[in-house]
């Protein structure tokens, strides 16, 4: 009669690792901190590459006109303590 390990199925709690990945899995198990560091650096590199690829498609930030008006109102409130837009008091454009 064959034991479980001889039957070709991995013991409970373990998964079968292909031969080509055994050294990698062994390295990750012995140096988990290094594995996390390599993963984070790889993720940052992938993010940078994706950002570089997509940055050519966007020509600049998109700002709505009302946002510029609210920015002016915030400036007037900071300088005078009152809301005004284009020299007129109030909270609206009209």
């Amino acid at each position: 009669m064959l034991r479980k390990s001889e039957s070709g199925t991995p013991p409970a709690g373990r998964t079968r690792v292909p031969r080509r990945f055994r050294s990698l899995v062994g390295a990750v198990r012995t140096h988990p901190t290094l594995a996390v560091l390599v993963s984070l650096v790889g993720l940052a590199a992938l993010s940078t590459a994706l950002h570089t690829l997509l940055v050519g498609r966007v020509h600049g930030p998109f700002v709505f006109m009302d946002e510029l008006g609210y920015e002016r109102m915030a400036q007037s409130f900071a300088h005078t303590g009152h809301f005004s837009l284009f020299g007129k008091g109030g909270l609206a454009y009209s």
Side-chain angles (χ1 to χ4, degrees):
M1 183 167 215
L2 295 173
R3 287 186 260 154
K4 269 198 168 183
S5 62
E6 295 174 1
S7 68
T9 60
R14 296 273 200 183
T15 57
R16 178 174 271 178
V17 178
R19 283 188 176 170
R20 62 179 177 247
F21 296 124
R22 285 184 185 163
S23 62
L24 179 63
V25 170
V28 168
R29 286 183 181 155
T30 57
H31 304 291
T33 306
L34 182 62
V36 170
L37 179 66
V38 168
S39 299
L40 289 175
V41 168
L43 186 62
L46 180 66
S47 172
T48 302
L50 185 63
H51 178 75
T52 302
L53 179 71
L54 295 178
V55 77
R57 295 179 181 233
V58 179
H59 300 290
F62 185 76
V63 179
F64 292 108
M65 291 304 293
D66 63 337
E67 291 175 352
L68 297 174
Y70 292 131
E71 185 249 345
R72 291 285 187 169
M73 287 174 59
Q75 283 180 348
S76 70
F77 183 77
H79 291 293
T80 64
H82 300 287
F83 289 108
S84 66
L85 185 60
F86 306 117
K88 298 179 183 177
L91 296 175
Y93 290 106
S94 57

